[in-house]
Amino acid sequence: MKDISCHILDIVNNSVHAGAKVIEVNITKNGITGAFILQISDNGTGIPEEMLTKVTDPFITSSKLKKVGLGLPLLKQNAELTGGSLRIHSDSYKGTEVWAIFDSKHIDMIPEGDIALSVKTIISAHPGIELKFRYRENEEEFSMDTRDIKNELGNVKINAAEVLEFIRAMITENIVALKQITLTDKHKTDLIYSNLR
Amino acid sequence: MNKIKSLADLRELKDKLQAKTKLRDKSESPEQNVQVKVAMATCCIASGSRETMNYIVDELDKRNIDAVVTQTGCMGYCYAEPTVEVTLPGKEPIVFGYVNEKKADEIIEKYIKGGMLVEGIIPVNYKKIDE
């Protein structure tokens, strides 16, 4: 996988296959320590206990069409390359929670990519699923819920091309704004960073 | 600095769209629609099916073609990703391989609009002559 945004799309597809109706995507970044946490949780059917230890094996899959399942193994690989890890918690019939922890200051860290485009693609392909997206950088955060958007839209469909483009622009602009806040606060960040050293 | 978009801006967009969808609903009947399925499994995402899907969604809207664009899992043609399955009304579904934005444009212009076949078809569902 090229970037984080592709992983998000991929892991969310797992949730959709598990029959999830509500999916949450949380990204938490710490500019000081470099910790980058991607958390995806759903209310799907969950992973059976005997499968849970084997899901990161590339030759284990629930699919009958093919013999490989690379989504989680690739995410694990990319996380571990930066010295991070992958954690999966699952309750049968309640849902699954995936945590991927990266060190964003590591040289092998993959780029974030176009996260807004991934969110747009998820909504466009699965308009019936409720997606909660949250992006947190240092102390500031942006969050979005498709339920709020649907309330606002009324009888207009959420997968209309104009609405999708609006959602993508909204996410992109807000993420850029978050990054600008941290830049103006650079002085403060630098201070904390030097203290840690 | 430009104002950042928020949920409040969605209300304006909604009023604009409501007028537009009313016109569209009249022509909406499922069997008359073109169906496009974009494969979106790990292999497909890694080779860029996300960009292909967004291009198709945007372009079909721009060119005023009524179509349903959905996603499917891996179809087993990982060597030819991104793959796209197109079903024209009343016709058999056809799977295209190596669909980048340029190829997607060709499929929309020639196959969806004009019914002409284009290169890059993966023979998935063919019938023998004696069937």
Side-chain angles (χ1 to χ4, degrees):
Chain A
M1 285 290 163
K2 273 184 291 185
D3 49 42
I4 300 280
S5 68
C6 286
H7 276 303
I8 295 176
L9 188 57
D10 194 16
I11 304 300
V12 167
N13 274 341
N14 288 348
S15 298
V16 175
H17 281 297
K21 290 279 164 282
V22 182
I23 301 170
E24 281 183 39
V25 176
N26 287 319
I27 294 169
T28 313
K29 280 174 77 178
N30 186 330
I32 298 156
T33 57
F36 183 108
I37 301 164
L38 170 66
Q39 186 227 349
I40 297 172
S41 55
D42 67 50
N43 64 350
T45 51
I47 305 166
E49 215 172 307
E50 66 272 16
M51 273 284 275
L52 204 54
T53 48
K54 296 186 280 186
V55 281
T56 50
D57 181 337
F59 296 103
I60 295 288
T61 176
S62 60
S63 166
K64 288 179 180 73
L65 276 170
K66 53 189 170 54
K67 286 175 180 156
V68 291
L70 297 175
L72 284 167
L74 287 177
L75 181 60
K76 187 182 185 212
Q77 183 191 32
N78 274 333
E80 284 178 353
L81 276 176
T82 69
S85 61
L86 180 82
R87 265 189 269 162
I88 304 163
H89 180 77
S90 186
D91 281 328
S92 277
Y93 307 107
K94 274 185 187 166
T96 308
E97 202 171 341
V98 175
W99 295 69
I101 300 150
F102 298 83
D103 175 5
S104 60
K105 289 193 192 306
H106 196 282
I107 193 162
D108 286 330
M109 176 68 184
I110 51 172
E112 273 178 43
D114 196 342
I115 291 170
L117 183 62
S118 283
V119 174
K120 181 191 164 188
T121 311
I122 295 165
I123 296 173
S124 135
H126 313 286
I129 282 169
E130 308 301 348
L131 180 76
K132 206 175 164 193
F133 171 75
R134 199 187 63 143
Y135 189 100
R136 187 179 174 88
E137 183 154 342
N138 298 336
E139 295 304 312
E140 302 287 333
E141 75 167 54
F142 162 71
S143 67
M144 188 206 84
D145 196 327
T146 49
R147 278 165 286 200
D148 297 338
I149 295 175
K150 280 174 187 167
N151 281 340
E152 205 68 61
L153 283 173
N155 56 351
V156 175
K157 282 178 187 158
I158 197 169
N159 57 350
E162 287 90 347
V163 178
L164 291 173
E165 205 44 57
F166 173 87
I167 293 171
R168 185 183 175 190
M170 181 171 78
I171 298 170
T172 313
E173 285 174 16
N174 278 286
I175 291 178
V176 169
L178 285 188
K179 292 197 192 306
Q180 276 165 357
I181 291 170
T182 46
L183 271 179
T184 46
D185 268 351
K186 197 172 178 299
H187 190 62
K188 189 178 153 197
T189 313
D190 280 349
L191 270 176
I192 304 167
Y193 192 46
S194 57
N195 280 345
L196 281 175
R197 277 187 173 172
Chain B
M1 207 183 109
N2 287 335
K3 202 176 151 279
I4 299 166
K5 282 195 180 66
S6 68
L7 268 186
D9 300 313
L10 202 60
R11 228 162 285 160
E12 285 173 36
L13 186 74
K14 179 199 159 190
D15 297 334
K16 228 190 284 171
L17 284 174
Q18 256 171 345
K20 206 178 153 191
T21 40
K22 267 177 197 155
L23 282 173
R24 250 192 205 175
D25 278 342
K26 287 177 189 166
S27 64
E28 213 172 290
S29 53
E31 68 275 10
Q32 271 184 351
N33 275 339
V34 179
Q35 284 180 44
V36 181
K37 286 181 186 169
V38 184
M40 194 75 81
T42 309
C43 52
C44 323
I45 295 169
S47 41
S49 64
R50 185 183 59 163
E51 281 74 13
T52 303
M53 180 168 178
N54 277 288
Y55 182 81
I56 292 174
V57 169
D58 292 346
E59 287 302 309
L60 287 175
D61 184 69
K62 268 184 212 162
R63 299 174 197 188
N64 286 319
I65 302 167
D66 268 335
V68 187
V69 186
T70 50
Q71 71 173 52
T72 72
C74 179
M75 294 195 258
Y77 311 105
C78 306
Y79 65 94
E81 295 299 347
T83 51
V84 173
E85 186 188 280
V86 184
T87 317
L88 292 187
K91 285 191 179 169
E92 294 278 312
I94 287 184
V95 179
F96 296 93
Y98 303 106
V99 185
N100 52 17
E101 291 187 356
K102 203 178 147 209
K103 193 82 206 168
D105 175 62
E106 205 184 331
I107 291 171
I108 294 171
E109 272 305 310
K110 287 191 180 159
Y111 185 61
I112 296 181
K113 271 188 167 177
M116 257 167 22
L117 291 177
V118 293
E119 262 184 62
I121 295 172
I122 302 173
V124 183
N125 41 356
Y126 53 87
K127 278 184 183 149
K128 285 178 197 157
I129 200 155
D130 52 336
E131 258 175 37

